[in-house]
Amino acid sequence: MPDTPPHRTLFTAKSLTKSFGEVRVLSNIDLQVNQGEVLALLGENGAGKSTLVKLIGGYETVSGGLLHLANEAGELRPLNSDTWKHATAEAQGVILIHQELNLAEQLNAVENIFLGNEIRRGPFLDKHRMLELTREYLSILDCDIDPLVPVAQLSVSVKQMIEIAKAYAKNSRLLILDEPTAVLTAKESEALFQLIDRLTEQGVAIVYISHKLDEIERIADRVVVLRDGELVGDYDAKTLTKDDMARLMVGRELTNLFPVATPPNATSEVVLELKKGAVPGLISNASFQLRAGEILGFAGLVGSGRTALMEAIIGLHQFSKSSELLIRGKSVSFSSLAAARDAGIAYLTKDRKGSGLLLGMSLPINFSLFSLHKFSNGLINTKKEQEAFSEAVDTFEIRLKDLSISAGNLSGGNQQKLLLAKVMAAEPSIIIVDEPTRGIDIGTKSQIYHFIANLAEKGHSIIMVSSDMMEVIGLSHRVAVMCRGQLVGILEGEQKQEHEIMRYAAGLESQLTQEGEKASA
Amino acid sequence: MPEIKITRSIDLKTAGPFVALIALFILGAFVNDAFLSSGNLSNILARSSFIGIVAIGATFVITAGGIDLSVGSMAAFISGCMILIMNSLMDKIESLPVLILIAIFASALIGAAAGCINGLLTTKAKIEAFIVTLGTMGIYRSLITYMADGGTLSLNFTVGDVYSEVYYGTLLGVPYPVWVFLCVAIIGYVLLNKTVFGRHCFAIGSNEKVALYSAIHVDRVKTMTYILQGICVSIATIIYVPRLGSASGQTGVLWELEAIAAVIIGGTMLKGGYGRIWGTVVGALILTLIGNILNLTDMISNYLNGAVQGIIVIAAVYLQRGAWRKRAPT
């Protein structure tokens, strides 16, 4: 913000420490947040970013150290860490928007935005005024929805926009955004950035967490890097390149982020083939082949039907009669996930918290759940289960001091590794991974890429659905692109370019002919 | 490699119901000398076996995230069916033990079928378990009242005499119902804690979607829990019918609430995902003990039995919640 007045300090933390039991997750953090600036928090998963912002937002209590917040006159006043709860924080304009959305699903946008903050006329709600304001907020965010439908019917990205509108409505002084764009499209993200620009011009301070380094480059004024619960450095954003940021986060040089797996040759066995795949209401036409040792990327916009197609392959949706699914040349139709698993196909869900892991359960129970039959002959052999789990902890490099915690207490990266371990315990030969690195730090990402490449080298076949263009291009041998329920093209070699994929994904280009058959590319 | 624990270590939460049981036991001994008499103790055990067996079935249903409100009415309905079967087949079958075995077999069949209906309605028709079993609860209650024509169905005395051995007979000085209770508890424990089926119940109760994506046959496992519940109800009925030799619209009233109370006191979570068979057994014993102690003392009126039970349930859950506090995420 070049033309704003000199920044005044809004918030400081001195020697901030946080421990859970004996585990220290943050130590001696010194932090300063100024009015009208965007402070980006960078760090790998588990570095302590989310914990730090929860302390600031009053969702966790501080174990040691001092917090100061400026009062209306701009004088810094110490905060009593015992009474600093999120309600008090919000009352003072310190608002945290969580990674997990916190909306009342059955209420509409207006009711959510003003929840606990309702405008009244006498004893009654002033619905008209609230609706007016909601329309105004949503238009600032370029979010064109009916504010009167229950938010349950809205997409995740719209819900995120409503969360942001809600924070905006509260007249925040310090707005903390924890990975807000993880579920947003590029266009929606841009609307958010414009709102952020607008807020900072008004003097609002923003603390921004994201793994997307180009976003940080776009909006941050200052960058603070955390590593293993410690503050590594505080930098002027202008002096940092994306490479610098990545290096600072990981603490080591990141070479060969995308390992190269030897592509399968033309004689490799076709392990999976889908002919005219269609699922009423979801998929209209998808045909492709997958060879042994191949990594086939699936690109496309959110809602283009990629996940639905994968779920149909593993038996969660029924293909229509005209479709044919062949596994190693044999026509199959799976009635359940168990049948697909027994045929050697495993699906790694993109929603690791909602459908991947039992967050309240122990790690071994999560690990064995997908392949439990292997550990049982009538009774579960817990010894065998534990041994297999210990082995998986090594194989998948799940780095933890305390392995007796529940899955919900793992960092995102470790959760993803546990999920991989769980799926691989069934020893599948065809592995479908859906957004395998969403919300994961770059170090763990790199581990997962190497792991996938390794599997392919060993002759496994991999389908990788991803919205991360870099990884789709970097890791896949070929890229299938979907658009509105159709598989519109498979790109390889020279064609495997970002702009080419986007053209297909946007529906500007297609390898399908009028009859719906795949043209010879 | 640090040691990895699959099972939770023993803590206050696990020990709580046992501590409460021992405390009640000591209280009982102080209140009245007759409490510790072998007659009274075996009476307590025999009486708790009905609710206890039903509650073991309920532990599966609740652990898998369901609820079954129909068990009390189902018990009454199955009792009525057993009595009608035995009375009507008396002339045709000479051997009374065979006749009783036929009735027992029919009881198990009806129990399993009734459970299956509850299960299929919740899983296939996708109606909430609370609503389905509220409906079947009304249906069975009404059916038994209809079968008894508003009065009481009585078992023929000749059959009743032979059958009564099942309730009043003993093995090694312990009544048969207690042995049955013990066997059902052991089988239930193994099934819930040592088998794939049990693990799947936990998983479904914790998060059905995760269970589905973990290749678990969610509908099948859930239906199985209701069938198990039906079979448990039928077992309880098999040892209950010879006690009174009759069934009416008043049979098994509020058993569903007592069974759920026993499950909750025992530390199983009502929202699913965590269940404990031995806790349930202790829960059933605690409920019976309260009634028994109130009978043996005049400090509190016996009419307040339900109130004391209610307080115990609420207190038990309150204490468990305190211990349930999880470690904050890192």
Side-chain angles (χ1 to χ4, degrees), chain B residues 3 25 137 210 304 309:
Chain B
E3 197 183 315
F25 207 78
M137 166 179 163
V210 173
L304 288 174
Q309 288 186 345

Side-chain angles (χ1 to χ4, degrees), chain B residues 16-25 27 257-258 260-267 279 282-291 293-294 300 304-321:
Chain B
F18 289 90
V19 173
L21 181 69
I22 292 166
L24 275 175
F25 207 78
L27 179 73
L257 291 188
E258 283 199 39
I260 294 167
V263 172
I264 300 308
I265 292 173
V282 168
L285 289 173
I286 287 175
L287 288 179
T288 319
L289 263 183
I290 295 167
I293 292 171
L294 293 185
I300 304 174
L304 288 174
N305 187 4
V308 177
Q309 288 186 345
I311 291 168
I312 298 272
V313 172
I314 294 169
V317 172
Y318 178 76
L319 291 174
Q320 284 162 18
R321 288 291 144 80

Side-chain angles (χ1 to χ4, degrees), chain B residues 6-287:
Chain B
I6 286 193
T7 48
R8 287 154 203 270
S9 55
I10 292 173
D11 55 0
L12 185 76
K13 187 179 72 209
T14 323
F18 289 90
V19 173
L21 181 69
I22 292 166
L24 275 175
F25 207 78
I26 294 169
L27 179 73
F30 273 110
V31 162
N32 196 321
D33 291 340
F35 178 80
L36 286 176
S37 70
S38 67
N40 188 53
L41 291 182
S42 82
N43 179 37
I44 291 171
L45 287 171
R47 280 174 155 262
S48 44
S49 56
F50 306 127
I51 290 302
I53 291 168
V54 173
I56 286 165
T59 309
F60 283 90
V61 173
I62 292 174
T63 300
I67 190 93
D68 191 343
L69 300 175
S70 69
V71 293
S73 308
M74 197 193 288
F77 174 66
I78 298 175
S79 302
C81 290
M82 285 182 79
I83 292 172
L84 284 180
I85 288 169
M86 286 188 278
N87 286 353
S88 63
L89 288 182
M90 261 216 53
D91 309 329
K92 298 181 185 103
I93 293 165
E94 297 249 323
S95 157
L96 292 180
V98 170
L99 175 64
I100 291 166
L101 280 176
I102 290 173
I104 286 175
F105 184 70
S107 159
L109 221 57
I110 299 168
C116 193
I117 292 170
N118 279 341
L120 291 179
L121 282 173
T122 42
T123 55
K124 296 295 172 201
K126 310 240 177 278
I127 308 170
E128 288 89 339
F130 189 94
I131 295 168
V132 168
T133 59
L134 192 66
T136 50
M137 166 179 163
I139 293 170
Y140 297 134
R141 181 60 65 200
S142 161
L143 281 177
I144 175 67
T145 313
Y146 172 75
M147 281 154 60
D149 206 8
T152 303
L153 281 172
S154 293
L155 183 59
N156 180 290
F157 283 118
T158 335
V159 190
D161 264 355
V162 178
Y163 195 3
S164 69
E165 176 70 10
V166 171
Y167 181 76
Y168 293 101
T170 60
L171 176 69
L172 305 172
V174 178
Y176 285 137
V178 180
W179 287 112
V180 176
F181 185 17
L182 187 67
C183 288
V184 172
I186 291 171
I187 294 169
Y189 173 78
V190 171
L191 207 53
L192 187 63
N193 294 288
K194 307 279 177 195
T195 68
V196 171
F197 170 74
R199 187 71 72 76
H200 285 177
C201 289
F202 278 84
I204 292 169
S206 305
N207 187 332
E208 218 173 294
K209 213 167 164 201
V210 173
L212 179 70
Y213 279 88
S214 303
I216 294 172
H217 295 286
V218 173
D219 287 356
R220 199 184 294 172
V221 172
K222 277 169 78 179
T223 306
M224 265 312 291
T225 63
Y226 288 97
I227 294 175
L228 271 179
Q229 171 74 86
I231 291 172
C232 284
V233 171
S234 111
I235 294 172
T237 312
I238 290 165
I239 54 173
Y240 181 77
V241 168
R243 178 167 171 241
L244 296 176
S246 67
S248 74
Q250 295 306 307
T251 304
V253 167
L254 292 185
W255 276 20
E256 59 282 340
L257 291 188
E258 283 199 39
I260 294 167
V263 172
I264 300 308
I265 292 173
T268 296
M269 290 174 75
L270 189 58
K271 64 174 183 183
Y274 183 62
R276 288 173 42 224
I277 295 289
W278 292 115
T280 298
V281 171
V282 168
L285 289 173
I286 287 175
L287 288 179

